[in-house]
Amino acid sequence: MKLALLSAQPYDQRFFDEALQRDCLAGEVALSYLTPTLNRDTVRLAQGYDAICVFVNDQLDAAVLEALAGFGVKAILLRCAGFNNIDLESAGRLGLFVARVPGYSPEAVAEHTLALVMTLNRHTHRAYNRVREGNFMLEGLLGFNLHGKTVGIIGTGQIGLATARIFKGFGCRMLGYDPFETAVFSGVGEYVTLGQLLAEADIVSLHCPLSDTTRHLIRAETLAQMKPGAMLVNTSRGALVDTLAVIEALKSRQLGSLAIDVYEQESQLFFHDRSSDRIDDEVFLRLTTFPNVLITGHQGFFTREALDQIAEVTLDNLRCFVQGERCANSLV
Ligand code: NAD
């Protein structure tokens, strides 16, 4: 079995090599690590492989899937929870096995969400630089207490719930919106309509998947419904947010601050070193000019525990495919 990892980073190699050594497939699977992102231009790299493993910014549209099937690729292993980047209908039609890694470590993303909120609110990133330059002035670093604030969680699945539990520990009042309500979230917070959540929350945190119904869930109309000066946090998928509308809301001060770990056009930027390059994305560059905007490059998942789990579950999904076993994580 020849398996190629696309969009491979050095840490992928470390965690997958280690997981394979522990796995019953050791000796049966030859792993190759390919750095390019998968898309129509790079799909030919998959020739000669039985299975491929992809990440969040690999593009698996109908044309790419048809090419993969033509090359004899039979299994597609997503080493992530979200699956908005694959055309599942085409994959099913082509008889491809597709599996993902759901809920590998909700706490990893939840804790990063809080790291963003705490940094943005208390300006620790700015304080760090000031202190290093011998500037001990506090002007510009004013924050607010999280205790007693209302936090709205949109999408109360595994990550939303883990995030809500941490906020609850800070003494926040929790609101949730999700078309599929759970008893476990009701034990932490109160379910309300999307409109009520937007109107009452001091912090709105997005944790729903990207789909046709959630694309640009946050746009001019919903931004106008938010409490003036509220904070918006997105650690889910970039396209949940209409970035141009968010920039307008920041300019008008309707939106108080923004923390994002994901960005709609992130595939051109994230997971690459562009520090010696020119960045052409004017929208992204505009975002970086706001002092009340904090951006990280899709690192919510990036903990040892999560990477361990991702590698282990991905290889177990492959084992199910090889052994013809029903796979709980399969998507088609
Ligand atoms: P999950 O399936 O456990 O939860 C998603 C929840 O969203 C579900 O309860 C679902 O009912 C709800 N939902 C669906 N449509 C909705 C809508 N229109 N409005 C509100 N809620 C809606 O998934 P999860 O493990 O909690 O992951 C959530 C998302 O986080 C993933 O889809 C992925 O996009 C993102 N994610 C980001 C990172 C990162 O590194 N930043 C890592 C992992 C996952």
Side-chain angles (χ1 to χ4, degrees):
M1 166 70 60
K2 290 178 76 180
L3 170 65
L5 257 88
L6 277 301
S7 301
Q9 298 282 351
Y11 47 81
D12 290 315
Q13 178 152 3
R14 201 161 69 238
F15 281 88
F16 271 85
D17 280 350
E18 281 175 19
L20 187 58
Q21 274 176 20
R22 299 190 296 266
D23 198 273
C24 64
L25 290 177
E28 283 179 48
V29 174
L31 258 170
S32 300
Y33 298 95
L34 311 179
T35 47
T37 302
L38 181 67
N39 54 42
R40 291 177 190 195
D41 297 330
T42 60
V43 67
R44 63 196 154 70
L45 294 171
Q47 282 191 63
Y49 291 98
D50 306 295
I52 59 162
C53 177
V54 296
F55 197 48
V56 292
N57 290 325
D58 292 305
Q59 287 305 319
L60 296 109
D61 59 17
V64 169
L65 291 168
E66 272 158 27
L68 289 172
F71 296 148
V73 171
K74 292 171 197 68
I76 297 168
L77 307 161
L78 279 72
R79 55 180 190 282
C80 52
F83 48 90
N84 51 283
N85 53 337
I86 179 162
D87 176 349
L88 289 177
E89 203 182 303
S90 299
R93 177 173 50 78
L94 294 162
L96 293 164
F97 171 86
V98 182
R100 65 171 179 142
V101 186
Y104 46 82
S105 179
E107 289 75 20
V109 185
E111 289 171 17
H112 188 67
T113 304
L114 264 295
L116 288 175
V117 170
M118 293 300 286
T119 305
L120 183 58
N121 174 31
R122 301 303 293 265
H123 310 282
T124 40
H125 55 316
R126 302 181 73 193
Y128 173 82
N129 287 324
R130 279 194 194 182
V131 169
R132 283 171 70 92
E133 288 181 9
N135 176 359
F136 303 99
M137 288 294 288
L138 299 184
E139 188 58 39
L141 304 183
L142 192 65
F144 57 81
N145 282 11
L146 277 184
H147 185 91
K149 291 294 179 298
T150 299
V151 179
I153 302 284
I154 299 184
T156 59
Q158 301 205 55
I159 296 172
L161 176 65
T163 306
R165 285 180 166 144
I166 306 175
F167 273 119
K168 185 85 177 169
F170 276 92
C172 296
R173 169 183 171 238
M174 299 308 303
L175 300 179
Y177 168 71
D178 194 311
F180 302 96
E181 300 187 358
T182 64
V184 62
F185 182 84
S186 296
V188 182
E190 181 194 346
Y191 276 113
V192 291
T193 62
L194 180 60
Q196 189 181 343
L197 183 149
L198 294 172
E200 292 186 20
D202 300 290
I203 300 172
V204 173
S205 195
L206 305 179
H207 301 287
C208 56
L210 175 62
S211 67
D212 289 344
T213 46
T214 60
R215 187 174 299 276
H216 289 187
L217 180 83
I218 300 298
R219 52 186 184 278
E221 186 191 338
T222 37
L223 283 159
Q225 287 175 266
M226 285 176 69
K227 190 168 171 174
M231 180 190 288
L232 175 66
V233 191
N234 186 9
T235 56
S236 193
R237 284 292 180 267
L240 292 176
V241 168
D242 176 348
T243 314
L244 287 174
V246 157
I247 288 173
E248 288 310 311
L250 285 164
K251 280 161 66 181
S252 70
R253 291 167 173 71
Q254 162 65 8
L255 187 62
S257 53
L258 172 75
I260 53 173
D261 185 46
V262 287
Y263 168 62
E264 189 164 7
Q265 309 303 334
E266 70 177 47
S267 60
Q268 304 303 314
L269 300 169
F270 290 6
F271 309 116
H272 304 286
D273 180 0
R274 297 271 187 251
S275 55
S276 308
D277 221 348
R278 197 189 50 199
I279 292 178
D280 294 323
D281 184 334
E282 305 282 340
V283 176
F284 183 82
L285 291 174
R286 180 67 179 100
L287 277 182
T288 63
T289 65
F290 292 98
N292 49 347
V293 171
L294 181 64
I295 308 174
T296 52
H298 207 141
Q299 68 175 82
F301 71 100
F302 201 55
T303 66
R304 276 184 212 97
E305 292 79 0
L307 290 187
D308 240 345
Q309 186 79 7
I310 288 171
E312 213 157 276
V313 175
T314 301
L315 291 175
D316 197 57
N317 290 343
L318 180 64
R319 184 195 58 75
C320 290
F321 170 70
V322 170
Q323 299 181 349
E325 237 179 63
R326 206 190 77 77
C327 177
N329 300 326
S330 104
L331 292 169
V332 286

